[in-house]
Amino acid sequence: MKDDRESFIAERAARVEDYRDDGPLQEAAEGFMRESLRARYSYQFDWLGLPIIQYPQDVFALQEIIWTTRPDIIIETGIARGGSLIFSASMLALLDMTDAERAGRAGVPVADRRRVIGIDLDIRAHNRQAVESHPLAGRIEMVEGDSTDPAVLDEVRRSIRSEQRVMVCLDSSHTHDHVVKELDLYAPLVTPGCYCAVFDTVIEEFETAVFPGRPWSQGNNPMTAVRDFLARDPRFEIDASISDKLLLTVARGGFLKRVA
């Protein structure tokens, strides 16, 4: 049978191009995003036993990014209930496992494992206990403090060796000023070819009523921070192909690839 993988990939790319001009599809996606944000849809899912508080589509996108770029360290700001840390740890464990398989060392423990570094201003005791009691806890380091505090950044830097590949996920406070500071501090840690994923850029697309009682809104959110950052740092660019194919994502325009 003929190998049709190249044509299959080309068909997928063409399909995404069609999505951009498909009015009914775009309208349906926007309607679902609006109503699902109102209904707190993202709170309904777990990853390996802990609430992940992400859209399944975004989790799937992260899986593709991690598999393709193969980071050694994933830095996450915002821990919440810990599911995202467990997701990242599980993906890094799979990378270690497949590296061992390819090296002919199947089943041999990895001496220097990949790790996740999670940062949060307030790690609640029950959430910390849930993460620390998880089977993947050995791959996770949690840092309590303001992600924009220089002392916290220094602690994170000390945990990373120069040869390690780094990915960053920003998902803590969603105000413009906070996300800009996080981008300025943590994006430079990203390895060329890897990604900085900025979540909840979707806030810019909907009126404030969709996010009642929050300190962020249209004009003051991760998307405005991304635009500010990209105007000053040419080393990163938006990988629009990711959110264009997802259709349903809270990180539209927030998948930033380091290209230099």
Side-chain angles (χ1 to χ4, degrees):
M1 181 177 291
K2 180 182 178 182
D3 186 343
D4 67 345
R5 284 175 292 185
E6 287 189 10
S7 62
F8 177 76
I9 297 300
E11 288 171 5
R12 294 205 307 191
R15 199 174 297 123
V16 172
E17 290 292 332
D18 292 340
Y19 289 171
R20 298 186 180 107
D21 298 321
D22 189 329
L25 181 63
Q26 293 294 334
E27 184 178 351
E30 181 178 356
F32 181 83
M33 284 303 304
R34 177 187 300 276
E35 295 307 315
S36 63
L37 288 166
R38 177 190 57 77
R40 296 168 70 87
Y41 166 80
S42 64
Y43 285 72
Q44 302 306 113
F45 306 101
D46 291 349
W47 187 271
L48 300 183
L50 292 187
I52 191 168
I53 314 182
Q54 296 285 5
Y55 275 60
Q57 292 82 359
D58 286 325
V59 174
F60 216 95
L62 290 173
Q63 171 270 142
E64 291 185 357
I65 290 170
I66 293 168
W67 179 257
T68 301
T69 62
R70 306 187 78 79
D72 300 300
I73 300 290
I74 299 178
I75 301 169
E76 298 191 15
T77 65
I79 290 175
R81 295 184 179 273
S84 183
L85 295 181
I86 300 303
F87 164 76
S88 293
S90 69
M91 287 302 305
L92 296 184
L94 286 172
L95 293 184
D96 279 342
M97 183 185 75
T98 54
D99 283 350
E101 292 276 355
R102 288 169 175 168
R105 297 184 287 106
V108 178
V110 179
D112 191 12
R113 299 179 300 179
R114 294 174 165 98
R115 292 176 299 107
V116 185
I117 303 172
I119 308 163
D120 203 296
L121 183 63
D122 177 21
I123 306 175
R124 297 175 184 175
H126 57 281
N127 292 331
R128 180 185 289 277
Q129 192 277 333
V131 172
E132 291 179 343
S133 63
H134 196 277
L136 290 170
R139 292 180 173 271
I140 298 168
E141 175 185 346
M142 289 184 285
V143 179
E144 187 165 29
D146 185 338
S147 58
T148 64
D149 184 336
V152 169
L153 178 62
D154 286 344
E155 184 174 348
V156 171
R157 282 176 171 160
R158 287 194 296 269
S159 297
I160 304 169
R161 299 193 309 275
S162 59
E163 73 275 13
Q164 290 182 306
R165 293 176 60 78
V166 177
M167 174 179 173
V168 168
C169 297
L170 303 180
D171 195 11
S172 58
S173 173
H174 302 315
T175 64
H176 174 96
D177 288 347
H178 185 81
V179 179
V180 162
K181 289 177 183 177
E182 286 190 330
L183 282 164
D184 286 340
L185 294 173
Y186 291 93
L189 302 181
V190 174
T191 305
C194 289
Y195 284 75
C196 177
V198 184
F199 288 91
D200 291 287
T201 52
V202 72
I203 296 168
E204 180 67 0
E205 299 180 20
F206 297 103
E207 64 275 11
T208 302
V210 178
F211 309 97
R214 299 291 194 173
W216 43 83
S217 60
Q218 285 183 319
N220 174 28
N221 58 69
M223 190 68 249
T224 60
V226 165
R227 292 169 182 161
D228 182 323
F229 172 74
L230 292 179
R232 296 181 286 102
D233 196 326
R235 294 174 297 177
F236 288 84
E237 63 182 30
I238 295 172
D239 187 345
S241 67
I242 297 174
S243 51
D244 283 351
K245 75 176 180 180
L246 292 178
L247 292 172
L248 306 175
T249 173
V250 300
R252 185 176 302 279
F255 294 103
L256 309 183
K257 185 176 183 178
R258 182 163 179 178
V259 295

